[in-house]
Amino acid sequence: MASGKYVFTSESVSMGHPDKLADRISDSVLDALLAQDPTSRVACETVVTTGLALIVGEITTKAIVNYADVVRKAIVDVGYTDDEWGINGNSCNVMVALDRQSPDIAMGVNDDSNKGKDIGAGDQGLMFGYACNDTPELMPLPIALAHRITNRLTEARFNKDVDWLRPDSKSQVSVVYDDFTPIGINNVVVSTQHAPTVTQQEIRDYVIEKIVKPCLPPKMITPEIVYHINPTGNFVVGGPHGDSGLTGRKIIVDTYGGWGRHGGGAFSGKDPTKVDRSAAYMARHVAKNIVASGLADRCEVQLAYAIGVSKPVSVRVDTQGSGKVDDAKICEVVQEFFDLTPRGIIEYLNLRRPIYTKTSAGGHFGRDEADFTWESTARARELAQAVKGGALAGA
């Protein structure tokens, strides 16, 4: 449990960051398959580097997809349309090395009504979900602010507010806490790829005044904040040309910025039978509804699964000392209130839809789009009544 004053830092990276570009390609492939065959089994990973995108993995589907076209569109949609930037979706080399899902894994995942077997987890593993009342979206403040900054940079680029912004960028925000209460901002770091024609002073002035400050809570904007804008002094070479990208390397950016724990499994390119993704979404949903219900100010939920087994092997609720009811009581009710099997999660959150490309940048949590069903707090009041002794209502 935190105590005293300290500084906590989280980062966000834009859709043009090489790792996020790889995530977007993987999720674009997933969406293309789910659009035709909602029961597709997909584990697609992407590598991007100068002039090349390579997709690998295991896919079993009835869909017929031109994978190269999907990859190229994903790259173009991010904004990589110029050979001078190191990768151009219209002209880059695309390599496809996909196989079918292992029959051993399929045997564990597939349901079999004749044998009374439900859909099993696609792998063993542990997943965490977190929520706190730092922000209206119930996310930790450092990652929420970092995402706002990178999202605003991306918006400015697409709107052509200036003509020198390029797709690759990242932000980092350090928040001062007193126990669990955010009380200030220590420093902000922003690195943004740019055209060679702009000066670093122009970049600094624009980013601080037009990008960063509008994203910060007004009461926390003080002269003491230190701004590090393009601290290397130049960022012309970026994206896959500056650094190779790989699906799943930004799992902390995707979740809670390091504030909440992470089970280690990446999300992008995986269909919802993969509990790395679906159970992490469900754990966030459970934690968020617990906080939204007023049962706790912050909450971490852990779920764990065995491959081929439907029910989680463990469920844990930790309100980090902020619970209004005993954690064990909340955990007991959660297991009755929510169906935590893969089938239950998939149906409850309506996950067999082509909704995943948009998750690949800006974080998977703290979003208010309708497709992000795991962010709904519609069950919060009902959950609070159940925990406090009302009738349990099945999910």
Side-chain angles (χ1 to χ4, degrees), residues 251-288:
I251 58 177
I252 301 304
V253 172
D254 283 344
T255 52
Y256 309 103
W259 185 272
R261 283 181 283 194
H262 197 297
F267 299 158
S268 289
K270 296 179 180 177
D271 76 85
T273 66
K274 314 293 192 295
V275 285
D276 279 341
R277 180 169 221 160
S278 55
Y281 289 176
M282 192 65 181
R284 160 65 175 173
H285 180 70
V286 173
K288 189 174 184 181

Side-chain angles (χ1 to χ4, degrees), residues 2 10 33-34 41 52-53 66 77 91 122 126 186 196 211 213 264 310 324-325 328 338 341 343 352 356 379 387 389:
S10 295
L33 295 166
L34 292 178
R41 298 282 171 77
L52 170 67
N66 186 317
D77 286 349
S91 59
L126 51 140
N186 182 282
I211 301 297
K213 286 185 177 180
S310 296
K324 311 303 187 288
V325 180
F338 296 104
T341 65
R343 181 190 297 277
R352 292 196 188 277
Y356 297 103
R379 309 278 317 273
V387 170

Side-chain angles (χ1 to χ4, degrees), residues 68-77 88-94:
D69 285 352
V70 173
V71 171
R72 293 185 186 283
K73 183 177 186 303
I75 296 171
V76 168
D77 286 349
N88 179 347
N90 295 309
S91 59
C92 68
N93 187 20
V94 177

Side-chain angles (χ1 to χ4, degrees), residues 17-281:
H17 184 282
D19 293 331
K20 280 284 125 198
L21 179 62
D23 284 345
R24 186 181 187 90
I25 292 169
S26 294
D27 275 332
S28 295
V29 170
L30 173 62
D31 279 353
L33 295 166
L34 292 178
Q36 293 184 39
D37 178 8
T39 64
S40 296
R41 298 282 171 77
V42 184
C44 179
E45 298 183 13
T46 302
V47 179
V48 289
T49 188
T50 305
L52 170 67
L54 163 66
I55 58 172
V56 300
E58 298 77 43
I59 293 174
T60 301
T61 184
K62 298 175 184 176
I64 299 174
V65 170
N66 186 317
Y67 292 108
D69 285 352
V70 173
V71 171
R72 293 185 186 283
K73 183 177 186 303
I75 296 171
V76 168
D77 286 349
V78 167
Y80 285 112
T81 56
D82 191 322
D83 291 331
E84 292 187 2
W85 298 352
I87 193 167
N88 179 347
N90 295 309
S91 59
C92 68
N93 187 20
V94 177
M95 299 179 65
V96 179
L98 298 170
D99 205 345
R100 292 176 62 83
Q101 184 183 57
S102 160
D104 295 339
I105 295 175
M107 181 172 61
V109 177
N110 293 345
D111 58 337
D112 188 337
S113 58
N114 293 328
K115 296 181 179 179
K117 182 184 180 301
D118 200 356
I119 295 174
D123 200 353
Q124 70 177 50
L126 51 140
M127 301 83 209
F128 288 97
Y130 186 79
C132 65
N133 56 15
D134 277 10
T135 64
E137 60 267 40
L138 303 186
M139 287 287 284
L141 186 60
I143 188 65
L145 296 181
H147 282 322
R148 290 174 196 174
I149 291 169
T150 51
N151 290 343
R152 190 172 178 87
L153 267 173
T154 298
E155 182 181 2
R157 176 169 64 88
F158 280 128
N159 289 342
K160 302 186 186 306
D161 293 346
V162 291
D163 62 3
W164 45 261
L165 284 172
R166 297 292 183 262
D168 191 1
S169 62
K170 56 174 64 177
S171 67
Q172 185 173 285
V173 180
S174 300
V175 175
V176 182
Y177 279 83
D178 188 355
D179 292 331
F180 283 100
T181 303
I183 59 173
I185 295 172
N186 182 282
N187 62 72
V188 177
V189 183
V190 177
S191 294
T192 182
Q193 186 186 12
H194 58 85
T197 53
V198 67
T199 69
Q200 291 301 314
Q201 189 61 50
E202 287 179 275
I203 295 171
R204 179 179 175 82
D205 292 344
Y206 177 81
V207 169
I208 292 174
E209 297 301 327
K210 301 298 183 182
I211 301 297
V212 174
K213 286 185 177 180
C215 294
L216 304 182
K219 65 180 180 181
M220 290 189 178
I221 299 176
T222 68
E224 285 71 41
I225 298 176
V226 178
Y227 298 96
H228 298 279
I229 310 300
N230 280 10
T232 67
N234 206 47
F235 189 4
V236 173
V237 178
H241 188 40
D243 192 10
S244 61
L246 178 65
T247 299
R249 272 206 303 220
K250 288 294 176 282
I251 58 177
I252 301 304
V253 172
D254 283 344
T255 52
Y256 309 103
W259 185 272
R261 283 181 283 194
H262 197 297
F267 299 158
S268 289
K270 296 179 180 177
D271 76 85
T273 66
K274 314 293 192 295
V275 285
D276 279 341
R277 180 169 221 160
S278 55
Y281 289 176

